[in-house]
Amino acid sequence: MNHATGRSANPDDASPVSGNVTQDAVVIVPGIMGSALRDTATGRLLWGLSGTRWLVRAWTGRDGLAALRMTDDELAGRFGRVTATGLLRHSAWTPHLRGFEPYTALGAAMRRCVPDPAAVLEFAYDWRLPVAVNGRLLAAAARKHLMDWRAHPAHDAARRLRRDETPARLVFVSHSMGGLVTQAALDPVHDSDLAGDTRAVLTLGTPFHGAVKAVSILNSGRGTPVPLPHGRLRRLCATMPGLHDLLPRYTCVLEGASARRLTPGDVAGIGGDPDLARLAADDAVRREAVALPGHHAVVGVRQETTQSLSIDGGVVHAHCHTVRRHSDDSFIRHPDGRLATFDCEGDGTVSTESAALGAFTTPLPLQHGAVAADPFAMDALAELVRGDRHLGPPMGGAGCGLDTPDLAEAGSPWTMTIRGPASPSGVTCRVERLDGTELPPARLSLHNRRLTATVRADEPGLYRVTVRSRDNSRVSQLVLVAPPGGAEADGNEDTSPDQPW
């Protein structure tokens, strides 16, 4: 089998088909930073290397991730310098967006739903580029995948075991930004028949209305000292069309007694590119007119999530609440006229309301980077891909929320907060380095009606925090522990445009 594409080397070697599979063609579309990227000319891997040592060096070393910055040619639409080579196979970390679990579990779960690995396409893409560009590429790849699968001998064998015996259609399984890319691909301007050939679109934590986290990324370090990786991400994303495609498009800017939408002028003032913001807004209008066939959203809940913002002197202050409107479109207010705000939570990155899009939903108490790897989510997706039934109620019990710092310093304590449980009884918190080294059990204490735990990791690396609650639900998050003071002595502040990477 060709593991890069998920296709069998010899389709004539198809094994007997089980009855508990679908005849449809599955396409997995990862989120931002979810595809490995290489330099096309040299073959050098730019993003997606294994090992936490590389990850720490990438975000704190002097050269960092400079090769990922958009060039003038790329901004002019001349692409090809960078090639996407596959889905993320190793745990990764990014400031603000925090940890990303690899897509190996999702790929394995989808291959168990089909009669042959050839039915699953893992669509890797250059997530730096506009969603519209990647949508066009996905439309072509999905069409070819569907035609190839319909010609595969295992396809007809699977059809004979299904009640409808219809030819395969497409099922898109899309994480985060991947849901926006899928929506762009289904625009009839690319392939007028693609939506009709699609049975279902299953999304996991897709920010259909954008995410305030994207604003925070563009504003990192404005007006205050900032840890080195956060400023590095800001420089990387300031001219990245893909990041601008994630900017919030709902009423999220709080201004005194009123609220409004983010504007290109706001984006310019906080450190982004106003032209990219305008293009992203125009593309979003076209994309939002595209209906998603059979849409079902797996939505992360219970996690503290930024949902609105205020801007003061070019500095963004993010808030974990949002405004709502009456049926006459006026804002809900307190009796004294102040705006009433509501916390609809989310997955730590994308709010619940942005990810749901009015679709059938399966809410799970998960963090954004883990939703495409969690066993509960895999079970839900498998049932939907097989067409067994539409899931609705939450799985895994009530669950809990987990709030960790995205960056910690080796040798210094850091504190996490666990939302939901009223006492430490029945709650466990495990912290382990990804190489298998486990820290002593974190001691939980109740503080201001919330559970907290303080941890200290003496060695740099990527650590996974896993919290289990009494109902046996689980939530996890990745935390990068950097060397004291950063790996290279180039300082914490990075406001100078001439500062080296």
Side-chain angles (χ1 to χ4, degrees):
M1 188 180 90
N2 183 334
H3 292 279
T5 63
R7 300 179 184 278
S8 295
N10 183 359
D12 294 330
D13 292 339
S15 57
V17 176
S18 156
N20 193 28
V21 293
T22 180
Q23 75 268 42
D24 290 328
V26 178
V27 182
I28 300 174
V29 190
I32 188 170
M33 293 189 164
S35 301
L37 303 181
R38 287 187 183 274
D39 184 290
T40 304
T42 66
R44 176 191 170 202
L45 193 59
L46 306 178
W47 175 258
L49 281 167
S50 63
T52 56
R53 182 177 297 179
W54 171 82
L55 195 61
V56 172
R57 187 169 62 247
W59 286 111
T60 61
R62 185 171 295 275
D63 291 334
L65 299 167
L68 289 177
R69 288 196 73 177
M70 297 288 291
T71 65
D72 290 340
D73 276 350
E74 289 172 323
L75 289 172
R78 294 184 287 273
F79 309 128
R81 179 182 70 88
V82 174
T83 301
T85 59
L87 271 56
L88 195 67
R89 300 296 181 195
H90 309 283
S91 298
W93 177 90
T94 297
H96 291 290
L97 300 179
R98 303 185 178 180
F100 297 88
E101 298 289 2
Y103 289 97
T104 48
L106 178 58
M110 294 303 97
R111 284 187 285 274
R112 290 192 294 270
C113 297
V114 296
D116 189 281
V120 179
L121 169 69
E122 296 182 348
F123 178 75
Y125 62 94
D126 185 350
W127 33 265
R128 304 171 310 136
L129 306 185
V131 162
V133 170
N134 286 315
R136 172 173 50 81
L137 297 175
L138 174 58
R143 170 59 63 192
K144 182 179 185 305
H145 176 54
L146 179 60
M147 301 309 295
D148 288 349
W149 172 237
R150 284 177 174 176
H152 196 287
H155 167 255
D156 284 338
R159 283 176 60 191
R160 287 192 289 271
L161 295 177
R162 303 294 290 189
R163 285 180 294 178
D164 53 11
E165 293 190 59
T166 58
R169 291 191 293 167
L170 290 163
V171 176
F172 291 92
V173 181
S174 308
H175 177 228
S176 190
M177 177 190 275
L180 304 182
V181 174
T182 300
Q183 193 172 31
L186 292 171
D187 188 328
V189 71
H190 303 308
D191 185 329
S192 59
D193 297 324
L194 195 64
D197 284 332
T198 299
R199 172 169 69 84
V201 176
L202 313 179
T203 58
L204 304 96
T206 291
F208 288 105
H209 301 295
V212 170
K213 277 286 183 74
V215 185
S216 297
I217 288 172
L218 292 177
N219 194 239
S220 290
R222 286 298 180 103
T224 58
V226 64
L228 183 61
H230 296 69
R232 180 151 296 154
L233 179 65
R234 187 196 73 217
R235 291 198 302 271
L236 175 64
C237 293
T239 58
M240 185 187 294
L243 190 281
H244 288 74
D245 280 319
L246 301 179
L247 290 171
R249 293 179 298 281
Y250 59 94
T251 301
C252 66
V253 181
L254 306 183
E255 285 186 334
S258 188
R260 60 174 178 81
R261 295 192 177 204
L262 191 74
T263 68
D266 294 327
V267 174
I270 64 171
D273 187 308
D275 292 330
L276 291 179
R278 290 187 190 94
L279 288 173
D282 291 343
D283 286 341
V285 171
R286 289 191 291 270
R287 190 171 62 244
E288 289 164 0
V290 177
L292 297 177
H295 183 210
H296 191 112
V298 176
V299 178
V301 296
R302 307 275 195 274
Q303 314 308 312
E304 189 171 68
T305 305
T306 55
Q307 301 150 54
S308 64
L309 61 102
S310 53
I311 304 173
D312 183 10
V315 178
V316 170
H317 303 278
H319 311 295
C320 293
H321 53 246
T322 188
V323 296
R324 285 182 173 163
R325 298 176 185 267
H326 292 290
S327 57
D328 64 359
D329 207 37
S330 62
F331 290 116
I332 299 176
R333 297 180 181 275
H334 294 289
D336 61 3
R338 291 180 299 112
L339 281 173
T341 58
F342 304 83
D343 183 2
C344 65
E345 300 181 331
D347 62 15
T349 296
V350 180
S351 72
T352 300
E353 293 181 343
S354 184
L357 196 67
F360 292 103
T361 61
T362 297
L364 295 174
L366 298 172
Q367 286 278 342
H368 185 77
V371 69
D374 183 82
F376 281 120
M378 296 304 97
D379 289 344
L381 289 172
E383 292 192 8
L384 293 166
V385 168
R386 293 189 184 109
D388 294 339
R389 64 187 178 95
H390 285 297
L391 299 174
M395 300 177 66
C400 59
L402 175 62
D403 186 28
T404 68
D406 60 354
L407 178 67
E409 187 175 275
S412 297
W414 45 276
T415 300
M416 68 188 84
T417 302
I418 301 167
R419 296 154 52 92
S423 78
S425 176
V427 180
T428 62
C429 179
R430 179 182 179 186
V431 182
E432 60 179 335
R433 193 170 159 180
L434 293 197
D435 64 4
T437 304
E438 187 169 352
L439 299 185
R443 185 175 180 179
L444 301 176
S445 60
L446 197 59
H447 181 71
N448 290 335
R449 298 185 179 180
R450 289 189 179 181
L451 295 180
T452 63
T454 301
V455 178
R456 190 186 77 179
D458 293 327
E459 297 295 328
L462 194 59
Y463 289 76
R464 180 181 289 112
V465 179
T466 303
V467 174
R468 290 188 180 273
S469 51
R470 179 182 294 178
D471 60 11
N472 204 34
S473 62
R474 186 190 77 164
V475 62
S476 66
Q477 181 60 279
L478 296 174
V479 178
L480 182 67
V481 176
E488 303 244 359
D490 54 352
N492 266 357
E493 184 59 68
D494 55 285
T495 56
S496 170
D498 299 323
Q499 184 170 355
W501 281 71

